[in-house]
Amino acid sequence: MDISSIDTRHATSNTFELSRGNSFPFTGYPFGMNYFAIETTNDNWWFHPEAQHYRGFRLTHQPTMWAGTKGDFASVRILPFATRSKGLLDVPYAPQFSTFQPNKLEIVQKNDRIRTTLVPSEYGALMHITAADDELGVIISFPTEGKVTKHEGNVIEGYSLQLHADRTTPLKLRFHIETTSPVVDATTIEDGALQLSFATSNDVTLRLGTSFISMDYAVRNMPQEDEATLSANITDAWNAKLGKIEIFDHDRERVQTFYQNLWRAFLYPMKLYELDEDGEPVHYDMHADDVKPGYLYTNNGFWDTARTVYSLQSLIEGDEYPKILHGFVNSYKEGGYMPKWLSPADGGGMPGNLIDAVLADAVIKGIAPELNETFLEGMLHSATEQDPNDRLGRCYQNDYAKYGYIPADVPESVNNSLDYAFSDWCISIVAAHLGKDELAAKYRKLALNYQNNFDKEVGFMVAKDRDGNFKPGFSPISWGGDFTEGSSWQSTFQEPHDIQGLINLYGGDKAFLKQITTMANSEPKYDVKGYGHIIHEVAEMEVNEFGQINMGNQPSFHLPYLFAFAGKSYYMQPMIKQMMTKLFSAGWQGYPGDEDNGSMASCYIFNSLGFYPFCPGTDQYLFGMPLYDQIIVHLANGKDLTLTTTQNLPQHQFIDHLEVNGEAYHKPYITHETLMNGGNIDYTLGLVPNPDNFDPDEVPYSLTKRD
């Protein structure tokens, strides 16, 4: 599919109360340093696809609307005007005549017949403005904090800034603009906006360069190519990304949905590095107020993305992914801890320390092996050195080391405890890979700490006090408090490294199967005593109606696959098919919840392929349910993997049998090595379940071996 078929307004129709993606309509390069969109309002949700007016083109670095109005660090707003729109900060535009594509943003204002076309470059953009009248100009303003420092002749310069997480050295985006018509008048109008009028012309081009390093870099980063060449460059860049997976299917709308998701999977993390005179990567070190060599990336929350994004990149992204890992290492070296939530520096945020899963997954898959020792060093640092401000690394790690769990007087104690046990397992995987057997054994033992929160009396993970007593008054449907964006239903199964150990705690397969069946078949009931109000994830679980499996949020992504550990993969196959066909679309309400930096898009892609990375850090993907007639995956190593689904009809909701490279295949999982060798996976669907499809003696990986 060509990138021009992608509508960037996908999943942008949202409210505070209900998310259907909470996405932005970004135009820019894959993993771009800057993105561009139009702004229709001035709050967190600054774009809505049904708005008939806009406030300007917005150069943005916002990772999520939940970051708040100041979460869009280093943003600039540019609004073209002509005779009748002069002095106005909010003007009508015609969505039906405008273009919203990743490679081009074109906005038509009927009044004055203004047409503005924006084509991005790697570090800037070209804006071409035409109008019926000769009185053209632009209004420059700042959604956050900024200033125009120069407007002389054909040059406009300025900056936008925001303090990074340490609240010390400002991160400053410099911008340099050269215009084909000189500025002849500058007037400060409402809200401090600067109105710049050009010399008489009805056709003006602006060339924009940006830099986080210096104005000299911004000048050098300004595009020199003509509009057609710039357009061809970014179109080729995006088509190369979309071409990594080819979809063939009888349902055209479903094909569109896939590519809308594939596009979103390549938006984050965003570049925070530039190229010096020799073409070498350099970046601004926010902690030392200095320029350093190497890569740097931002806008990534690992609590969200660790579950899907980087497993997908390990399959198909051979160029950018190693650079991203080098960037994370630079964040660690400069910020002191392996990052948790980068925007622009690490601000902490969310429980756990799930970058450990990304690093372990990269190690076992051989991505950037030169970094393995540094990965382990950084993982161990977070696991042993508690940040005095309890913001970076493992918050409350000292309590975890003392008790084997985070006590109940700490917010979100259960989720932190479970995630730290998973991180301990990730450390053991990296240590073992590096031949550090004693260290690996130590952390394998610590990885069993999740058991400390399991209350056999109720069959759920429950918070514990400092004396080792389970918290009284437990309810499995109570959201918040001890849990993160969920209740114990969504949190109890957050130990993907040892589901067999959890099965043993339940007393065996039968009891475990009963519990997860109840989870799927229960009504989506809840109470919000832990929060005191309804958060949007609660509303989404109720609206989506998939029991206590809240597919609109990351902790539930893997829950359908729990049935594979009880030898009942056929239980989950209709569920996955229903989720993919009913909860995702190519429209403005495209998701069952927050998309979150590519995490839900990547989840959709994996489910569409028919397998899922249940536990990053293992080499296994669990079979689920394929969605498309045929998929060709062009792998990162240059080989091809072809997935074909026979009898792919709505009424066929089960895998009857499958073959790998022409041979019958009965394991409920497939390894990364097998996938990367390329070849063929052939699924044949059926009307009724086939319990004999997968061998019950073949079970996915668990730290605890099956008895």
Side-chain angles (χ1 to χ4, degrees):
M1 177 171 286
D2 188 88
I3 194 64
S4 62
S5 300
I6 299 298
D7 187 338
T8 61
R9 293 169 293 182
H10 174 238
T12 59
S13 179
N14 303 277
T15 64
F16 174 86
E17 295 81 10
L18 188 72
S19 172
R20 282 297 176 246
N22 265 337
S23 301
F24 291 111
F26 287 156
T27 295
Y29 266 76
F31 307 110
M33 189 177 88
N34 308 307
Y35 288 129
F36 298 89
I38 63 166
E39 176 187 303
T40 62
T41 186
N42 63 350
D43 60 12
N44 293 12
W45 286 258
W46 46 259
F47 175 83
H48 197 282
E50 295 179 335
Q52 300 287 318
H53 56 90
Y54 85 120
R55 298 161 52 86
F57 289 75
R58 184 163 175 158
L59 187 161
T60 173
H61 302 88
Q62 188 157 345
T64 169
M65 46 274 300
W66 300 113
T69 54
K70 292 189 177 181
D72 185 356
F73 62 90
S75 56
V76 183
R77 189 191 296 118
I78 302 176
L79 177 62
F81 68 82
T83 304
R84 288 179 291 278
S85 53
K86 187 175 184 179
L88 302 178
L89 295 179
D90 194 323
V91 297
Y93 85 102
Q96 68 273 30
F97 299 120
S98 299
T99 300
F100 294 83
Q101 295 171 355
N103 56 334
K104 182 173 74 171
L105 179 58
E106 188 170 77
I107 300 300
V108 174
Q109 298 167 232
K110 289 184 178 180
N111 194 31
D112 291 321
R113 291 193 227 166
I114 301 175
R115 179 182 297 272
T116 306
T117 303
L118 184 147
V119 179
S121 64
E122 283 275 17
Y123 294 101
L126 180 149
M127 290 183 69
H128 183 198
I129 309 169
T130 61
D133 300 326
D134 289 339
E135 190 175 358
L136 270 180
V138 293
I139 298 172
I140 298 180
S141 57
F142 300 91
T144 52
E145 182 179 353
K147 185 178 181 180
V148 175
T149 58
K150 181 179 181 179
H151 46 82
E152 299 174 1
N154 296 80
V155 173
I156 305 167
E157 290 183 344
Y159 64 82
S160 178
L161 59 81
Q162 182 194 27
L163 292 177
H164 70 91
D166 284 348
R167 301 297 174 198
T168 53
T169 306
L171 181 68
K172 179 184 287 188
L173 179 80
R174 291 93 171 163
F175 61 87
H176 172 87
I177 300 173
E178 295 185 9
T179 67
T180 55
S181 186
V183 175
V184 295
D185 181 69
T187 306
T188 300
I189 58 175
E190 183 182 349
D191 296 331
L194 185 64
Q195 181 174 273
L196 301 173
S197 298
F198 299 124
T200 301
S201 176
N202 64 355
D203 190 322
V204 177
T205 296
L206 284 68
R207 294 179 181 273
L208 165 70
T210 67
S211 174
F212 287 108
I213 295 174
S214 71
M215 190 61 76
D216 288 341
Y217 269 78
V219 173
R220 191 165 66 243
N221 288 340
M222 185 185 68
Q224 302 296 324
E225 301 90 340
D226 59 37
E227 184 176 338
T229 302
L230 281 175
S231 180
N233 289 344
I234 189 171
T235 299
D236 289 347
W238 271 116
N239 284 339
K241 297 301 184 188
L242 292 191
K244 290 177 182 289
I245 302 180
E246 296 182 68
I247 298 293
F248 305 92
D249 196 79
H250 61 279
D251 189 326
R252 290 186 178 181
E253 182 177 347
R254 202 157 63 188
V255 171
Q256 182 70 33
T257 300
F258 183 92
Y259 282 108
Q260 292 285 163
N261 280 275
L262 188 58
W263 159 63
R264 287 211 171 272
F266 288 113
L267 290 176
Y268 295 102
M270 294 175 67
K271 289 184 178 75
L272 205 55
Y273 72 88
E274 301 167 47
L275 301 177
D276 66 12
E277 298 89 341
D278 299 319
E280 295 298 318
V282 292
H283 65 272
Y284 173 65
D285 179 349
M286 290 170 274
H287 305 275
D289 190 20
D290 196 7
V291 178
K292 300 284 182 63
Y295 299 103
L296 197 69
Y297 289 79
T298 189
N299 285 351
N300 188 90
F302 291 97
W303 187 84
D304 300 303
T305 60
R307 308 167 199 266
T308 56
V309 167
Y310 298 101
S311 292
L312 180 62
Q313 290 197 18
S314 73
L315 283 176
I316 63 174
E317 184 51 57
D319 177 50
E320 198 86 23
Y321 189 23
K323 298 175 185 177
I324 290 171
L325 291 170
H326 277 268
F328 295 159
V329 165
N330 284 329
S331 291
Y332 157 60
K333 290 179 177 178
E334 294 163 10
Y337 287 86
M338 282 293 181
K340 294 175 64 172
W341 228 118
L342 290 167
S343 179
D346 185 10
M350 303 306 292
N353 202 50
L354 290 186
I355 189 173
D356 292 338
V358 176
L359 304 181
D361 200 58
V363 168
I364 65 140
K365 293 175 180 175
I367 314 294
E370 69 277 8
L371 297 176
N372 289 354
E373 290 282 358
T374 307
F375 288 167
L376 182 60
E377 173 194 306
M379 296 165 81
L380 288 170
H381 178 67
S382 294
T384 56
E385 299 292 332
Q386 181 174 316
D387 174 18
N389 297 317
D390 276 325
R391 180 167 57 87
L392 307 179
R394 293 196 195 184
C395 300
Y396 312 104
Q397 165 60 27
N398 293 343
D399 281 340
Y400 179 74
K402 179 178 180 180
Y403 300 105
Y405 59 89
I406 304 295
D409 54 85
V410 175
E412 302 176 319
S413 65
V414 174
N415 284 85
N416 272 302
S417 298
L418 301 180
D419 286 349
Y420 292 167
F422 180 35
S423 281
D424 286 337
W425 173 82
C426 292
I427 292 173
S428 77
I429 291 296
V430 177
H433 185 86
L434 294 173
K436 303 179 187 295
D437 296 337
E438 185 176 342
L439 184 65
K442 173 185 175 181
Y443 278 91
R444 276 196 299 272
K445 183 177 180 180
L446 291 173
L448 297 173
N449 276 343
Y450 72 88
Q451 298 176 356
N452 294 329
N453 281 103
F454 188 77
D455 185 347
K456 292 185 178 181
E457 294 296 319
V458 297
F460 287 92
M461 295 293 173
V462 181
K464 268 185 172 179
D465 65 22
R466 293 179 185 269
D467 294 323
N469 302 310
F470 287 112
K471 189 174 179 180
F474 170 77
S475 169
I477 63 169
S478 185
W479 279 56
D482 307 315
F483 304 99
T484 305
E485 295 183 1
S487 68
S488 194
W489 267 123
Q490 294 80 46
S491 303
T492 288
F493 307 97
Q494 301 302 318
E495 49 288 312
H497 62 290
D498 196 25
I499 297 302
Q500 184 59 50
L502 182 63
I503 290 173
N504 294 349
L505 291 177
Y506 275 106
D509 287 354
K510 185 176 181 180
F512 178 74
L513 180 61
K514 180 180 179 181
Q515 183 77 340
I516 59 177
T517 300
T518 301
M519 173 177 64
N521 289 342
S522 294
E523 293 181 61
K525 292 181 178 180
Y526 57 86
D527 72 54
V528 293
K529 294 177 182 177
Y531 285 119
H533 61 277
I534 294 177
I535 63 173
H536 73 91
E537 289 90 353
V538 169
E540 288 140 24
M541 185 180 75
E542 183 174 16
V543 170
N544 294 336
E545 293 192 302
F546 277 82
Q548 290 291 336
I549 300 176
N550 183 19
M551 200 59 184
N553 206 22
Q554 285 74 16
S556 287
F557 284 179
H558 71 294
L559 296 184
Y561 292 86
L562 291 170
F563 289 96
F565 292 85
K568 304 290 184 182
S569 290
Y570 53 90
Y571 275 35
M572 66 184 172
Q573 292 160 6
M575 185 196 325
I576 293 172
K577 188 164 187 172
Q578 294 299 314
M579 285 177 170
M580 294 302 101
T581 55
K582 295 185 181 301
L583 298 182
F584 294 82
S585 76
W588 295 347
Q589 296 185 333
Y591 293 105
D594 282 357
E595 197 283 316
D596 285 330
N597 306 147
S599 63
M600 194 172 291
S602 300
C603 178
Y604 178 89
I605 291 166
F606 271 120
N607 279 303
S608 300
L609 299 178
F611 50 81
Y612 181 80
F614 183 88
C615 181
T618 71
D619 65 346
Q620 295 181 355
Y621 301 80
L622 274 58
F623 281 113
M625 184 66 175
L627 191 58
Y628 292 91
D629 295 344
Q630 188 175 68
I631 301 175
I632 301 175
V633 183
H634 301 293
L635 300 164
N637 60 8
K639 297 181 180 181
D640 289 345
L641 175 68
T642 301
L643 313 168
T644 304
T645 305
T646 304
Q647 297 195 129
N648 188 23
L649 299 170
Q651 63 269 31
H652 291 84
Q653 300 193 70
F654 301 92
I655 296 178
D656 182 66
H657 61 274
L658 63 86
E659 295 180 351
V660 174
N661 296 323
E663 300 290 334
Y665 193 89
H666 297 288
K667 295 179 181 179
Y669 61 85
I670 192 166
T671 65
H672 184 76
E673 181 182 10
T674 301
L675 294 178
M676 295 304 290
N677 284 335
N680 300 279
I681 300 177
D682 295 296
Y683 304 97
T684 299
L685 305 188
L687 285 170
V688 298
N690 180 1
D692 298 326
N693 179 42
F694 292 123
D695 185 344
D697 293 327
E698 292 281 359
V699 293
Y701 171 89
S702 278
L703 175 58
T704 300
K705 302 299 181 183
R706 193 175 193 186
D707 186 356

